[in-house]
Amino acid sequence: MIAKNIRFLEDNQELIKPILPGLPISVFYTSFREDTYSCINWHWHEAFQYCLVTDGTVDFLLPKCNYRVKAGNGIFINTQQVHFSINRSASPSSYLCLDIPPSFIYPDERSRLYQKYIKPVVRNPYPQVLLLSKRNPEEQALLRSIENIQSMLRDEPEFMELDIHTEVIQIWKTTFRLLAKTSPPPPVEYNDNDRLKLILQYMLDHYSEKITLEDIADQLSISSSECCRFFKKVTGQPLFSYLKNLRINKSIDMLKDTEMSISEIATAVGFCNQSYYTDCFRKFKNITPKKYREMAQRKPNDILALDIRSK
C-alpha cells in the first residue's frame, strides 16, 4: 500500500488516478488521525464519488450543506460538485472511497443508455448528494458492492475486470433508482458551485504566494466584503482559515516526501516565516512540523489515504 497524494488538473479538479491502465476507476482509503490530514479540503472531480465510512464519523460538506455520516453508512456525491470532508470528533475516522467516471458506466454520449441513465444525473436535475444507510437493504447492497470491488482488486480473481464492471453497473442502477425516488431538490443559486470553484482555483494556483482579499475578490468581480460573506455562507469556514489549512496540507506532503528544511517548506507554501508556520501547524495538528516529520518517517506506508494495491 502507498499514500494517496491528492493531485489536481490545470482547472484544479482532483486528478483521479486509475487503479489499472484501462480501468479508470479509483478505490482508496482516507484516514483521519493525528499523523494524517484532519480534513480533505474543498475540491471537485469529474467522477461520481461513493464514500463508505468504515470507522468513526465523517462530515461531508457541500456549498451550504453538511452531511454527517457514521460508520457503516455512506454517501454519493455527483460529478463536478465542490465538496470537503472532515473528522470533527476526537477519535480517529476513515472511509473507503470509490470514484467512477461517467464514461466508465457507458462512454457513448449519443447512446440511448447514456441519454436515459447518465445524462439526467450529470445535468443535475437530481439531488447532488444521496445518503446511503446500512439499515436500508437496497442501500446496504450498494455499500457491499463498494467493498466487493475493493476485495477483487486486492485478490485479483479470474475475470476481475468483468466482475468489477458488473458491480459498477449494479451500483449505478441502484443509484439511479434511489435518485429517481427522492423528492425534488430545493431551489439553489445556480452560480454558488461555480463561484466557489473560481475562488478555490485561485487559491490553489497561488497558495505559495502572498494572497490578499482583493486578489481573490477580483476573480469574481465583487467587493472584498461580499467575497468574505459568500465564502463563509457556502462553506461555513472563514476564507483565510481555509487558505491556512490548504497551506498546512501542502506542507504535510513536503514534510514526508522531501528533505527540505522546515524553514524552506514554510516559505514554499506561503508562510511569511518559520515561526508563524510552526504556530499555525501546531493549532491545526496539535504537534509541531518537526514532530510530524518524525512520525511520518516512522510510518512511511501509513500516511493519509491508502490505496488498496501498490502502483
Side-chain angles (χ1 to χ4, degrees), residues 89-106:
S89 66
S91 57
S93 63
S94 60
Y95 60 92
L96 177 65
C97 187
L98 169 65
D99 291 333
I100 306 173
S103 60
F104 183 70
I105 300 170
Y106 207 82

Side-chain angles (χ1 to χ4, degrees), residues 33-195:
R33 302 187 311 273
E34 185 183 53
D35 59 332
T36 70
Y37 298 158
S38 57
C39 68
I40 301 299
N41 260 326
W42 293 95
H43 67 285
W44 63 97
H45 36 73
E46 184 266 346
F48 299 123
Q49 186 165 83
Y50 296 84
C51 300
L52 168 60
V53 176
T54 52
D55 289 292
T57 301
V58 179
D59 281 11
F60 295 89
L61 284 67
L62 276 79
K64 299 182 182 177
C65 299
N66 184 3
Y67 303 92
R68 178 156 292 180
V69 183
K70 296 182 179 180
N73 301 302
I75 188 170
F76 161 80
I77 301 174
N78 204 351
T79 176
Q80 295 295 330
Q81 297 305 306
V82 182
H83 56 283
F84 173 101
S85 61
I86 187 171
N87 175 18
R88 298 191 191 277
S89 66
S91 57
S93 63
S94 60
Y95 60 92
L96 177 65
C97 187
L98 169 65
D99 291 333
I100 306 173
S103 60
F104 183 70
I105 300 170
Y106 207 82
D108 186 355
E109 295 185 8
R110 299 166 298 177
S111 72
R112 180 180 176 87
L113 287 172
Y114 190 97
Q115 293 291 319
K116 186 173 181 179
Y117 296 110
I118 301 176
K119 183 178 178 179
V121 181
V122 171
R123 292 296 176 88
N124 301 336
Y126 293 104
Q128 304 312 303
V129 168
L130 187 65
L131 293 175
L132 305 169
S133 172
K134 62 183 178 181
R135 297 181 180 179
N136 179 296
E138 192 172 31
E139 296 168 18
Q140 184 185 50
L142 189 157
L143 296 171
R144 279 201 304 267
S145 288
I146 298 173
E147 293 178 311
N148 290 343
I149 291 174
Q150 177 206 24
S151 296
M152 284 188 280
L153 286 163
R154 181 187 62 230
D155 301 335
E156 298 188 357
E158 187 179 12
F159 306 120
M160 176 186 72
E161 294 83 359
L162 290 174
D163 289 339
I164 286 175
H165 197 264
T166 299
E167 290 280 3
V168 166
I169 295 299
Q170 184 58 53
I171 286 172
W172 188 247
K173 181 179 177 181
T174 301
T175 301
F176 191 86
R177 184 188 295 119
L178 291 169
L179 288 171
K181 290 194 298 185
T182 59
S183 302
V188 296
E189 297 179 32
Y190 175 77
N191 288 329
D192 278 358
N193 197 65
D194 292 335
R195 293 178 80 190

Side-chain angles (χ1 to χ4, degrees), residues 6-10 12-15 42-43 204 250:
I6 298 175
R7 297 175 58 203
F8 294 90
L9 301 171
E10 289 183 1
N12 290 307
Q13 294 187 63
E14 183 185 347
L15 176 61
W42 293 95
H43 67 285
L204 283 164
K250 292 294 184 181

Side-chain angles (χ1 to χ4, degrees), residues 1-7 14 17 19 26-33 35-40 49 85 93-97 99 252-253 256-257 292 299-311:
M1 295 186 184
I2 62 172
K4 175 187 177 286
N5 293 318
I6 298 175
R7 297 175 58 203
E14 183 185 347
K17 186 174 181 180
I19 292 292
S26 183
V27 182
F28 55 88
Y29 271 114
T30 294
S31 180
F32 296 131
R33 302 187 311 273
D35 59 332
T36 70
Y37 298 158
S38 57
C39 68
I40 301 299
Q49 186 165 83
S85 61
S93 63
S94 60
Y95 60 92
L96 177 65
C97 187
D99 291 333
I252 284 174
D253 291 335
K256 64 187 182 62
D257 294 335
Y292 179 87
K299 297 183 177 183
N301 294 322
D302 195 25
I303 299 296
L304 182 57
L306 299 182
D307 282 310
I308 61 151
R309 68 191 307 276
S310 296
K311 296 181 177 64

Side-chain angles (χ1 to χ4, degrees), residues 224-244:
S224 298
S225 58
E226 173 59 21
C227 184
C228 281
R229 283 195 297 269
F230 168 76
F231 193 88
K232 181 67 180 293
K233 179 179 69 174
V234 298
T235 69
Q237 184 178 15
L239 192 152
F240 280 96
S241 177
Y242 164 82
L243 180 58
K244 285 181 184 177

